[in-house]
């Protein structure tokens, strides 16, 4: 069982920065892929960024050049650095861990609110 705990959300002005953290209960090396999703009111859940076990990363077009996903294996933690934040980035952000053995299993954190407003 993989447990995920997100932190770092809050209220920030447009153009500001936040860093989200996702602490895992197991070694990140045992997880196939980690990702950050977000969901705004009335909208579908959206995949924001992923980092696979080998270290490759991917981003949704709307955050490229502004967001960076990274990991610290010693701390078993994944981060999402968010710069140049826009009001449209406002959402609940969720950490996801995908584990694949004989089947694919997804684990989710509780979510952390990010609000970008003047």
């Amino acid at each position: 069982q993989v447990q995920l705990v997100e932190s770092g959300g809050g209220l920030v002005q447009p153009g500001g920065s936040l860093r989200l953290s996702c602490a895992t209960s197991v070694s990140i090396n045992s997880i196939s892929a980690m990702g950050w999703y977000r969901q705004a009111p009335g909208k579908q859940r959206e995949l924001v960024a992923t980092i696979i076990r080998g270290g490759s990363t991917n981003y949704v077009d709307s955050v490229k050049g502004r967001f960076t996903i990274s990991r610290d294996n010693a701390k078993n933690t994944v981060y999402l650095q968010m710069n140049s934040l826009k009001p449209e980035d406002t959402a609940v952000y969720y950490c996801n861990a995908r584990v694949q053995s004989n089947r694919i299993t997804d684990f989710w954190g509780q979510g952390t609110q990010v609000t970008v407003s003047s």
Side-chain angles (χ1 to χ4, degrees):
Q1 186 76 22
V2 179
Q3 295 176 333
L4 308 174
V5 180
E6 301 111 324
S7 61
L11 175 64
V12 66
Q13 293 184 340
S17 297
L18 286 173
R19 189 181 72 164
L20 306 183
S21 298
C22 176
T24 70
S25 63
V26 300
S27 172
I28 292 178
N29 289 329
S30 69
I31 300 173
S32 297
M34 301 287 301
W36 286 97
Y37 290 75
R38 66 186 180 187
Q39 188 166 26
K43 296 185 178 181
Q44 296 272 31
R45 184 185 62 183
E46 176 186 38
L47 177 61
V48 178
T50 60
I51 183 166
I52 66 173
R53 186 158 47 199
S56 297
T57 59
N58 288 282
Y59 302 90
V60 68
D61 286 345
S62 61
V63 309
K64 288 181 179 177
R66 300 189 297 121
F67 290 12
T68 303
I69 188 170
S70 62
R71 67 189 182 195
D72 186 335
N73 289 349
K75 296 181 179 179
N76 292 325
T77 299
V78 173
Y79 304 95
L80 185 67
Q81 179 67 46
M82 305 184 295
N83 299 325
S84 302
L85 283 162
K86 305 174 181 179
E88 50 262 45
D89 295 318
T90 296
V92 178
Y93 284 70
Y94 297 93
C95 182
N96 167 263
R98 174 159 288 186
V99 179
Q100 185 168 215
S101 182
N102 57 352
R103 67 181 185 275
I104 296 174
T105 304
D106 284 313
F107 300 90
W108 297 91
Q110 81 286 354
T112 185
Q113 176 71 49
V114 172
T115 302
V116 185
S117 176
S118 299

